[in-house]
């Protein structure tokens, strides 16, 4: 993003850490992105006041948003429906406050938000500004980029995302509205964008640690993954040529991600983070993981030992 | 279990609550079951000292177990491998303590534990007792019961589980070992067991709240589900005849459970917990749920409204 001249507003839902969030912010960073009001409060207490709450606002949360603003949060909320805009108008009157609103734009027809050409866009902007609230800009999230493979598809997804945000912003400006923020964000599109003209901020966050999904997309290599789950070998399934670790889906994931056979629920590394052969977590129970060879061959009975510490790469 | 004369040692990993754990324990309850040392510590601090840590012990955790015992925990650990028993012997010497050990038995060939007829069983018992530690008994968990359908299959699974535990205990006693605990446990088998002869405790826990998986198995009805996720409608996908709620897989689950099409990631109820038509959470993103009809028909644009509170049944 730096090379393209657009600052990062890091999504802190991945790191959940104030220290790391501070380190992710460059000198031009406008602030952070949060995915819940609990995160908003946590980071506000640490002095990170400029926040985008990047999930469509539930009207029932507007009281809590007003309370955070009263405590100093410069918190922007997101919506895409006239009823939500009317709820914002009513809450602003009740709390004598002025909400900062971003309109959510759907770049690929699969997520929340309005199509950039939807006539409702300017109607929503009018509802927000005539009720005395601030139209801060537009926001989009190219979730579909996780389904792309290869640099070209990811660069195209990034351009689709950019174009959706810029088109929506242009329409709002043509209708006489200020639109200072044009916010896009996902780690795959951030890494592959070749042009961010018209974009004011990028909200990527997964890149802070990366994972095997990102490696599979070509966004990074497995060497770049900066987080792992430390676990221990607790038993041997000698007859099956497998081992048991004390990390199951409560510690790892129930989600096999995007990989095919052999991808599993994690790559098995030694305590120093070096991959152990082609070992993967083949399957998980609630508290147990089953370690096997990605190739399916039975493991040698001496390949690991009870009590051995392993790191599982997500 | 009461009717069959066997006390419950409730698994508290489901409720995570001291108050609820106390209410689950009958007058004869020997204590509780935990799935992590964090749970063990939390419940110990509340005075619930008699605990089974029902996951195969990692040798690296034996120091922490000794520390909990020094603080008053009567904590039994579980193992199924000679190397783990040797680690217990060494740790007992280092900490001048006596571990309470349960041998894990595999009732269906799919989980952790030893086959009840495995010669290693008595060898393990000997390793534990000759090193001055306590062989408290045997433990099994019929995880495969979650794959059973109907009362007969579940009753058979319960009997398989009982027989595995009792057979292993008998073999240990024949070899001259005390074996005071024969512990079985899963909500489906607990509900369908017709005979628990020889069993000293049942470790069920999911029954505290139930869920749609249990309803699907026939263990309960959906009316019996005592927990839900409160969420709010945040947007309308009018073109698809769907609605968006602000609960995605971080609030609900990534696991579609055992249901077929139409099962989804939760049943949609009103704020009072009454089902709304045949609405389900059809799909989830990280923070968004998509509410649709189980039948697949498009929803009426007035079927719900922005800001409406809904309860999602797990």
């Amino acid at each position: 993003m730096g090379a393209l001249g657009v600052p990062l507003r890091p999504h802190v839902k991945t790191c959940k850490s104030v220290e790391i969030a501070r380190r992710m912010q460059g000198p031009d960073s406008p602030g952070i992105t949060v995915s819940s009001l609990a995160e908003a409060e946590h980071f506000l207490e640490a002095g990170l006041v400029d926040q985008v709450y990047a999930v469509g606002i539930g009207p029932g949360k507007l009281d809590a948003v007003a309370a955070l603003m009263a405590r100093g949060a410069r918190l922007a909320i997101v919506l895409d429906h006239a009823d939500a805009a009317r709820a914002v108008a009513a809450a602003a009157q009740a709390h004598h406050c002025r909400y900062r609103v971003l309109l959510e734009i759907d770049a690929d027809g699969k997520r929340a938000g309005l199509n950039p050409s939807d006539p409702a866009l300017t109607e929503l902007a009018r509802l927000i500004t005539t009720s005395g609230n601030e139209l801060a800009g537009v926001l989009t999230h190219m979730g579909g980029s996780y389904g792309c493979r290869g640099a070209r598809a990811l660069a195209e997804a990034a351009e689709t995302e950019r174009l959706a945000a810029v088109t929506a912003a242009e329409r709002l400006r043509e209708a006489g509205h200020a639109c200072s923020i044009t916010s896009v964000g996902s780690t795959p599109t951030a890494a592959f964008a070749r042009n961010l003209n018209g974009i004011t901020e990028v909200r990527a966050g997964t890149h802070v640690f990366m994972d095997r999904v990102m490696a599979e997309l070509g966004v990074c290599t497995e060497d770049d993954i900066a987080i792992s789950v430390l676990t221990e070998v607790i038993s041997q399934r000698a007859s099956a040529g497998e081992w048991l670790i004390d990390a199951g889906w409560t510690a790892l994931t129930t989600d096999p991600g995007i990989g095919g056979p052999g991808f599993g629920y994690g790559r098995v590394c030694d305590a120093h983070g070096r991959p152990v052969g082609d070992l993967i977590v083949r399957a998980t129970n609630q508290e147990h993981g089953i370690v096997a060879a990605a190739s399916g061959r039975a493991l040698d009975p001496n390949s690991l030992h009870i009590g051995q510490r392993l790191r599982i790469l997500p």
Side-chain angles (χ1 to χ4, degrees), chain A:
Chain A
M1 282 77 78
L4 296 172
V6 178
L8 179 67
R9 180 191 285 279
H11 206 315
V12 298
K13 72 181 176 185
T14 305
C15 69
K16 299 270 200 299
S17 152
V18 170
E19 188 191 338
I20 295 174
R22 286 195 199 282
R23 291 172 66 175
M24 290 172 82
Q25 293 183 285
D28 302 329
S29 175
I32 59 170
T33 311
V34 299
S35 69
S36 72
L37 292 183
E39 288 170 13
E41 185 170 14
H42 176 70
F43 286 89
L44 170 65
E45 280 168 5
L48 295 164
V49 299
D50 196 313
Q51 306 181 338
V52 167
Y53 174 31
V55 180
I57 191 73
K61 293 201 172 85
L62 289 169
D63 295 352
V65 170
L68 289 171
M69 290 193 298
R71 288 169 57 190
R74 185 171 152 79
L75 180 61
I77 56 175
V78 168
L79 57 84
D80 68 359
H81 195 283
D83 287 346
R86 280 187 275 269
V88 166
Q93 205 159 29
H95 292 290
H96 306 289
C97 72
R98 188 163 187 249
Y99 291 98
R100 302 188 74 210
V101 182
L102 295 165
L103 296 182
E104 185 158 14
I105 308 301
D106 185 12
D108 60 4
K110 293 176 186 163
R111 312 288 289 199
L114 293 168
N115 187 293
S117 64
D118 193 316
L121 190 67
T122 47
E123 171 61 16
L124 272 180
R126 201 188 54 76
L127 276 168
I128 290 158
T129 54
T130 56
S131 61
N133 293 287
E134 178 189 353
L135 179 70
V138 295
L139 171 147
T140 185
H141 168 67
M142 191 70 180
S145 62
Y146 287 75
C148 296
R149 288 295 178 286
R152 178 181 296 195
L154 287 165
E156 279 169 12
E159 176 58 15
T160 302
E161 184 181 37
R162 184 194 75 82
L163 206 59
V166 169
T167 303
E170 279 307 309
R171 286 195 50 228
L172 289 170
R173 290 181 191 124
E174 279 164 18
H177 296 286
C179 181
S180 62
I181 297 177
T182 46
S183 177
V184 297
S186 82
T187 287
T189 55
F192 285 88
R194 296 290 162 258
N195 168 15
L196 287 172
N197 288 346
I199 300 302
T200 66
E201 63 181 41
V202 169
R203 301 188 320 283
T206 304
H207 66 288
V208 66
F209 303 133
M210 294 296 185
D211 58 28
R212 292 187 310 139
V213 170
M214 290 298 148
E216 195 79 2
L217 290 177
V219 174
C220 67
T221 69
E222 283 200 357
D223 271 356
D224 297 320
I225 301 174
I227 199 168
S228 59
V229 174
L230 187 62
T231 182
E232 199 175 359
V233 178
I234 58 169
S235 188
Q236 185 173 28
R237 297 162 64 99
S239 58
E242 298 177 334
W243 296 86
L244 235 63
I245 55 175
D246 68 345
W249 53 253
T250 56
L252 303 173
T253 178
T254 58
D255 186 349
I258 59 173
F263 193 77
Y265 298 83
R267 165 90 72 214
V268 177
C269 300
D270 66 17
H272 304 287
R274 290 178 297 237
V276 180
D278 68 339
L279 299 196
I280 56 165
V281 180
R282 175 182 67 73
T284 55
N285 297 319
Q286 195 162 359
E287 287 95 8
H288 297 128
I290 298 172
V291 169
S295 64
R297 78 190 146 74
L299 296 179
D300 182 278
N302 299 314
S303 51
L304 300 174
H305 64 266
I306 307 286
Q308 185 172 351
R309 297 285 176 101
L310 299 171
R311 290 192 176 276
I312 310 302
L313 277 195

